[in-house]
Amino acid sequence: MTNPELIQTINTDLALALPEKISFDEVLHELSAYINQLIKTDFEKLVAILYRIDVNEEKLKFFLIDN
C-alpha cells in the first residue's frame, strides 16, 4: 500500500484521480500512462512538471534519446 499523502500530492499536482488505496505497482502504471500521454500530446507540460520537481535536464535528454 502506498502513502496516502503521496497519492494526495500526485492527485493535486498532476490533476489525477488515483484512489486512496492503491498498490505501488498501480501507481507506477498510472504515472507511466500519464507521462506517455504527455509525451504524445503536451510535451511542454511534461517538461514544466519535470522542471518543477528538479529533474536534471541532461539526464532527461539522455533518457528520451536512449529510449
Side-chain angles (χ1 to χ4, degrees):
M1 196 66 62
T2 57
N3 182 332
E5 291 175 4
L6 173 63
I7 300 302
Q8 183 178 9
T9 300
I10 290 170
N11 285 342
T12 301
D13 291 352
L14 301 179
L16 296 177
L18 299 176
E20 286 185 27
K21 295 187 179 196
I22 185 172
S23 73
F24 183 73
D25 287 339
E26 290 171 312
V27 171
L28 287 179
H29 175 75
E30 292 296 324
L31 286 176
S32 294
Y34 180 69
I35 291 167
N36 190 44
Q37 175 192 0
L38 289 176
I39 289 170
K40 292 178 180 179
T41 63
D42 197 349
F43 191 74
E44 289 181 20
K45 182 176 181 177
L46 174 61
V47 171
I49 291 168
L50 295 174
Y51 178 77
R52 194 170 71 214
I53 60 173
D54 199 24
V55 171
N56 181 287
E57 186 177 348
E58 293 303 315
K59 288 182 181 180
L60 174 62
K61 287 178 183 177
F62 175 78
F63 179 75
L64 291 174
I65 291 169
D66 191 44
N67 292 307

